[in-house]
Amino acid sequence: MTSSTIYYLNYASKQISLYVASFFYFSGMISNLLCLLIFLSMKRLKNNPPSIYLLVASIANLVLMNSSFLSRIFLPNFTIDPSSTSVVWCKMRQYFGHVSAITSLFCSTWAMVDQYLLTSHHARLRQLSSVRIAQYTVWFTLICSLLHSIPLIIYNQPNVSKSTNMTSCSLSGNLIYQSYVAYFVIPFLLGIIPTVIAIIFAILTYINVKSLHQQEMRTRIQRQITHMVSAQAIFGWIGMIAYTGQSIYNLLTVSMQKNTSYRAYENFALTITGILAYTGYVFNFYIYVAVSPSIRKRFQRWIKRFVCCSIYHNHGTMFNNRTAPIYHNRKTCGSSR
C-alpha cells in the first residue's frame, strides 16, 4: 500500500469520526430529550408498561451520550479527553458508561419481552404485563448494573500506552477482571445476550400478533407501542452487531503483529463500527415518529405551537418597537389540544 493511500484512509477516519460522531451526538441528545417529553406528557403512554422501560432507556441513553460517547468518540476529535488527565473522570466515565449501557440495553429488551406477554394467548402471562412489575424490573436492572460496575471505579485509571506513548483511560492492576470484561462483559453482556433475548421475543410477539382475536383485544396505543418497540429493536440490533463484531475482532487480533497499512484499514473499519455501535441509543424518537401516528401528531402540534409562538413573538416585538398595542392569541399559542 502506498503512503498516499494510508494518508487518505487515516484522513477519512478522522473526518468520519468528526462529522458523523458530531451528527450522532447532537441527534442523540435531541432524540432522547424529545422521548422524555413524549413519555411524560402523553397520558395514554404513562399507563403502559413498555413506556416505563422506554422512558428509563431514554434517560440511560442521555447519560451514555454524555459519558462514554462524549469522551470516547466525540471529544478526542478536538484533542480534548479529560479521562486521560483526570483520574476521577476516568473512573466515573467508565462506571456511568457501563451502567447506562446495561440499563438501556436491558430495559429495551424487557420492553420487547413485555410485548410478548401483552400479546400472549394465556391470561396469566398477560397479567405479568403490568406497571408495577415494570417498575420492579427497572429498579432491579438499575441496582444490578450499579453493583456490577463498581470494580470499574477501582481498576480504571489513566495509563500510558507502550506502543503509542499516549495516555488513555483503561483497566489495569487486575488481570482476572480484565479478562472478565474482555471475554464476557463486552461481547456477551453488552452484545450477544440482550440481542438474542430481543430476537427470540420479537419472533414470539410476531407470532402472537398474527392472531386476529388478539388484535381485536388490543387497543390502538398498544399496537403502536408494539411497532415502536419492534422498530427500535431493529436499530438496536444494528448497533449491538457492530459492537459485538468489533469486540470479537479486538479479542482475536490483540496479539497480532500489524504493519502500517493494516493499521490504516483497521482504524478506518473500527471508526465506522465504533460509531455504529451507538445506533440503538441515538435514533429512538425519530423511529417513534415514523411508526406511531399518535406521537407523530403530538410532535406536529409541538412544531405548530413553536412556529406560531415564534411568529407572535416577532410580531409583538415589532409592534412594541412602534409603540403599538400588542395582542396575543392565547388560544393558538398558549395551549394544544
Side-chain angles (χ1 to χ4, degrees):
M1 182 188 294
T2 63
S3 58
S4 61
T5 304
I6 296 175
Y7 169 79
Y8 284 121
L9 279 173
N10 291 331
Y11 177 78
S13 300
K14 291 181 180 179
Q15 296 303 304
I16 292 172
S17 181
L18 175 61
Y19 292 106
V20 179
S22 299
F23 171 75
F24 265 57
Y25 176 74
F26 291 110
S27 297
M29 290 298 296
I30 294 172
S31 172
N32 287 292
L33 287 173
L34 289 174
C35 282
L36 295 185
L37 291 176
I38 282 291
F39 289 123
L40 294 175
S41 63
M42 293 184 67
K43 294 182 180 179
R44 288 181 297 174
L45 289 177
K46 290 182 179 180
N47 299 323
N48 284 274
S51 300
I52 297 176
Y53 296 122
L54 298 180
L55 173 63
V56 175
S58 297
I59 297 173
N61 291 344
L62 287 172
V63 176
L64 181 69
M65 296 301 295
N66 286 285
S67 56
S68 179
F69 187 88
L70 187 67
S71 184
R72 182 175 298 169
I73 305 294
F74 186 62
L75 290 181
N77 293 303
F78 306 96
T79 63
I80 301 172
D81 186 9
S83 64
S84 63
T85 56
S86 172
V87 176
V88 174
W89 175 241
C90 171
K91 295 176 179 293
M92 290 298 101
R93 186 206 75 173
Q94 295 281 28
Y95 180 73
F96 287 116
H98 270 72
V99 169
S100 56
I102 293 173
T103 302
S104 176
L105 284 174
F106 279 92
C107 280
S108 299
T109 302
W110 302 148
M112 194 73 255
V113 174
D114 188 89
Q115 287 303 295
Y116 163 72
L117 297 174
L118 187 63
T119 59
S120 175
H121 299 276
H122 304 286
R124 289 185 178 179
L125 290 179
R126 291 197 299 272
Q127 291 175 356
L128 295 177
S129 175
S130 66
V131 173
R132 178 173 295 183
I133 291 179
Q135 292 173 343
Y136 288 154
T137 305
V138 164
W139 279 111
F140 176 78
T141 303
L142 180 59
I143 291 172
C144 287
S145 62
L146 288 169
L147 295 176
H148 176 268
S149 303
I150 287 177
L152 292 171
I153 300 177
I154 301 173
Y155 298 118
N156 266 296
Q157 62 183 18
N159 294 301
V160 179
S161 173
K162 295 181 179 179
S163 58
T164 62
N165 201 31
M166 295 179 64
T167 304
S168 61
C169 180
S170 59
L171 287 171
S172 63
N174 191 313
L175 294 177
I176 296 176
Y177 186 71
Q178 290 182 44
S179 300
Y180 169 73
V181 171
Y183 292 98
F184 176 75
V185 174
I186 294 178
F188 287 96
L189 192 61
L190 295 176
I192 295 174
I193 293 176
T195 302
V196 171
I197 295 175
I199 290 175
I200 291 174
F201 282 95
I203 295 172
L204 294 175
T205 301
Y206 175 76
I207 295 173
N208 284 344
V209 298
K210 288 184 68 177
S211 171
L212 178 62
H213 178 62
Q214 287 298 113
Q215 281 290 94
E216 292 174 347
M217 290 176 60
R218 299 167 71 222
T219 64
R220 183 178 65 177
I221 194 66
Q222 288 173 339
R223 291 195 295 270
Q224 290 183 31
I225 291 177
T226 300
H227 296 154
M228 290 162 56
V229 173
S230 301
Q232 179 184 338
I234 294 174
F235 274 77
W237 296 338
I238 295 174
M240 283 188 282
I241 290 172
Y243 184 77
T244 304
Q246 184 184 39
S247 302
I248 294 174
Y249 172 81
N250 289 334
L251 290 175
L252 295 176
T253 62
V254 65
S255 59
M256 180 179 175
Q257 295 294 329
K258 306 171 185 177
N259 56 33
T260 305
S261 60
Y262 188 94
R263 287 185 179 277
Y265 278 116
E266 181 186 63
N267 183 47
F268 180 76
L270 292 180
T271 297
I272 296 175
T273 56
I275 295 175
L276 288 179
Y278 290 87
T279 302
Y281 309 105
V282 171
F283 300 107
N284 298 347
F285 179 77
Y286 315 119
I287 296 171
Y288 301 157
V289 170
V291 302
S292 172
S294 297
I295 292 180
R296 188 160 55 247
K297 290 178 181 178
R298 175 60 65 94
F299 183 61
Q300 290 172 349
R301 285 199 293 267
W302 285 353
I303 296 296
K304 290 178 181 178
R305 285 184 62 189
F306 176 78
V307 173
C308 175
C309 291
S310 298
I311 293 173
Y312 272 96
H313 174 74
N314 292 334
H315 285 180
T317 303
M318 180 179 65
F319 285 127
N320 191 36
N321 292 335
R322 296 178 181 178
T323 67
I326 303 172
Y327 299 97
H328 298 281
N329 191 336
R330 292 185 179 180
K331 181 178 180 180
T332 306
C333 287
S335 62
S336 65
R337 295 180 182 178

